[in-house]
Structures are given as structure tokens and as C-alpha cells.
Amino acid sequence: MNFIVPKIQCGLAAIVVSAVIGLVDYDEAIFLWRVDKKDFLLWTITSITTLFFGIEVGVLVGVGVSLAFVIHESANPHIAVLGRLPGTTVYRNVKQYPEAYTYNGIVIVRIDAPIYFANTSYIKDRLREYEIDFVNSTSRCPEVERIYFVILEMAPVTYIDSSAVQALKDLYQEYKLRGIQIAISNPSPEVLLTLSRSGVVDLIGKEWYFVRVHDAVQVCLQRVQNLKGVSNGSSRAPTFSEDKPSLFERLLKQRGENLSITDLESGNGRPPPSNNDKASHLEPLLPKQQ
């Protein structure tokens, strides 16, 4: 009798294992591995936990790990440095589009997530890293030794809380002490209303809010040119008027005087087209194959 019970248990265990093996979706595991390693890791953790500790524990562990992934992604949002695509006024991630060029003295940053208390420190740290990367860059123009402007593309930002507002104020004051001006591009109506109510709009200045990134870049380029002119001994203070010729027309006429537009550019060194260029350009959906 003592020998029969273990044999019965072994037979039942074999039946259970055979039934469970058929329930495992190996094709789904391979698909998750190819598409997203984090989803594959979640699948693996949940499966192993369910196998050894039961369904209830496995489900709880799976939900907990999923929440941990969501919190991590929210606290570490994607931030991209933007550059201008040649022949267009479109600005895209320079890592996705290597042919996009940037401007020396100007950093354009896009924040691809809502800004709130959990990710404000991460965003500030990343902005400091971009500033350090520019100073240490070997491709920048030697006549532009530092950053003058930081443009924040806020189109993807759907929400900003009070902690983020205070962080933005602190960042503005920190930049102001180092002679760096913040410009904000294309904030949503809700975000703009929050910034207005909190006093950030008046703090930064209404003239530093723009509809497009390209508009902000034009103004910043003009200021960099004037700042460079003053540093070279120009006695006249820089003035700005909407009745003057367009920015690029003036810059192209000044080629060879002080700092030209090609000196401000990095990357491939291709100057932007003039305003009279009417050729149409298609924005690429995917980067070119290298």
C-alpha cells in the first residue's frame, strides 16, 4: 500500500504537467521577445511565480511588476534633442534623423511626457547633461563657447503640476545666473493656462513663447548674432524690429561678417534654404538606411 500511493501521485503529476505544457503559448513568448523585452520579462516573472506559488500569487506579482514598469517609465520620460531637417523648417530627434543639424549656442529639447513631481528631477538632470555635452563637444563652432538659449518643445506635454511649475521657476533662475534664456514652444492650452496662473509666463517673458520651434530658433539666432556683435566691440546695443528684413536674409547678407549662419550650424554644415525657396519637401517617415 505504501508503494501504491507514490505511484499514483507520480501519475497524477505527469498528467498535470502534460496538461500545463499545452497551455503555455510559446509563440506569444517569442513575439514578446522580439517586440518588447520588458513585456517578455513580465511574462516570464508571472509564469514562474504562478508555477511555483499558485495563480493568486502569480496574478498579484504580475500586476505589481506592471505598475513598477509604468511608474519607472513615467518617472524617466523620453527627452529628445531636436535638429532641423535639411531643406525644411521641421525639427526632429537628431538620433532618429542623423542628417538633422543643430545650432551652436542653442539647444532644442522636446519632452515627450507630462511633467509632474515624479520626473522633474530627471528632466532637470537631463537638461544639465545636454549643456555639459555642448561645452565638451568638438563639433561646435569655436567662436560660440557656451549655450545662450534652451528651447523647450512642449507640444507632447499634456499636463504640468505645481511641483513642475516650481522646478521650471528654479531652472529659469539657475539659467538666468549663467546668462541662458529659456524659450517655450507650442504649449497646449491647459499647460499654458497653468503657466500663466502660476506666474511662469510673466517670469520668463511673453516674448519667449512661440507657436513653432522654427520661430523660436529664428529669434534665438538673431540674439546670438547680436550678442556676438556686442562681444566683438560693437558700440550699438542690439535692437529688434519686425519691420526689418527677414532673419535669414540678413544673416545671409552678413556672411563673412562676425559669425555667419554656417558658423552657427553643426552637423553637416548645410545652410538652411532662403525664404524664396519654393521647392516642396516631403518629411521622411523613417530615417534613411545607413
Side-chain angles (χ1 to χ4, degrees):
M1 208 52 195
N2 294 333
F3 296 98
I4 298 177
V5 174
K7 292 182 179 180
I8 295 176
Q9 291 178 344
C10 292
L12 293 175
I15 294 173
V16 172
V17 171
S18 299
V20 170
I21 291 177
L23 297 176
V24 179
D25 191 350
Y26 298 101
D27 293 335
E28 182 68 17
I30 296 173
F31 173 78
L32 293 177
W33 174 261
R34 291 176 178 175
V35 174
D36 193 334
K37 301 297 188 295
K38 289 184 178 180
D39 286 342
F40 176 80
L41 178 61
L42 176 61
W43 179 88
T44 303
I45 293 174
T46 305
S47 300
I48 295 175
T49 306
T50 302
L51 180 62
F52 287 98
F53 299 100
I55 297 177
E56 294 82 1
V57 177
V59 171
L60 291 176
V61 171
V63 172
V65 175
S66 298
L67 290 176
F69 284 163
V70 171
I71 295 173
H72 179 269
E73 291 292 337
S74 179
N76 299 272
H78 179 263
I79 302 176
V81 175
L82 305 185
R84 183 177 175 184
L85 296 181
T88 72
T89 59
V90 177
Y91 293 78
R92 291 292 183 266
N93 188 349
V94 294
K95 291 185 177 180
Q96 183 180 4
Y97 296 89
E99 67 271 21
Y101 54 83
T102 57
Y103 294 94
N104 283 295
I106 302 172
V107 174
I108 310 169
V109 179
R110 187 187 67 213
I111 304 172
D112 295 331
I115 307 176
Y116 69 114
F117 68 93
N119 59 18
T120 52
S121 298
Y122 175 80
I123 293 174
K124 291 172 67 175
D125 292 341
R126 291 297 302 273
L127 291 176
R128 294 189 185 98
E129 290 177 6
Y130 295 144
E131 183 180 355
I132 295 174
D133 291 342
F134 172 83
V135 174
N136 297 331
S137 175
T138 58
S139 62
R140 63 180 175 86
C141 174
E143 297 186 26
V144 182
E145 67 282 354
R146 66 179 184 87
I147 293 177
Y148 290 99
F149 298 96
V150 174
I151 301 174
L152 300 180
E153 163 64 299
M154 300 186 70
V157 179
T158 57
Y159 171 74
I160 183 171
D161 69 353
S162 58
S163 298
V165 168
Q166 186 59 45
L168 191 58
K169 290 181 178 180
D170 295 340
L171 187 65
Y172 170 79
Q173 296 296 342
E174 180 183 336
Y175 278 161
K176 185 178 179 180
L177 294 176
R178 300 204 304 270
I180 301 175
Q181 175 64 50
I182 291 179
I184 295 179
S185 169
N186 196 22
S188 66
E190 294 79 9
V191 171
L192 185 59
L193 181 60
T194 302
L195 296 178
S196 178
R197 288 175 175 175
S198 61
V200 176
V201 171
D202 295 329
L203 179 66
I204 296 178
K206 295 181 179 180
E207 68 274 14
W208 293 108
Y209 288 78
F210 302 91
V211 176
R212 301 184 306 164
V213 173
H214 187 61
D215 298 334
V217 170
Q218 285 185 316
V219 173
C220 293
L221 278 175
Q222 184 181 17
R223 298 296 179 102
V224 171
Q225 287 281 343
N226 288 329
L227 287 172
K228 189 59 184 177
V230 171
S231 65
N232 286 339
S234 175
S235 60
R236 186 176 61 180
T239 58
F240 308 97
S241 172
E242 295 181 356
D243 297 330
K244 293 181 179 180
S246 66
L247 173 67
F248 287 126
E249 289 177 353
R250 295 203 314 275
L251 294 180
L252 291 175
K253 290 180 181 179
Q254 294 175 355
R255 186 172 295 179
E257 301 177 6
N258 295 330
L259 196 61
S260 66
I261 192 70
T262 54
D263 292 328
L264 287 172
E265 293 175 4
S266 63
N268 294 329
R270 288 167 293 202
S274 65
N275 293 337
N276 296 326
D277 185 8
K278 298 182 180 180
S280 60
H281 301 276
L282 295 177
E283 179 183 351
L285 181 62
L286 296 174
K288 296 179 181 179
Q289 297 293 333
Q290 299 296 325

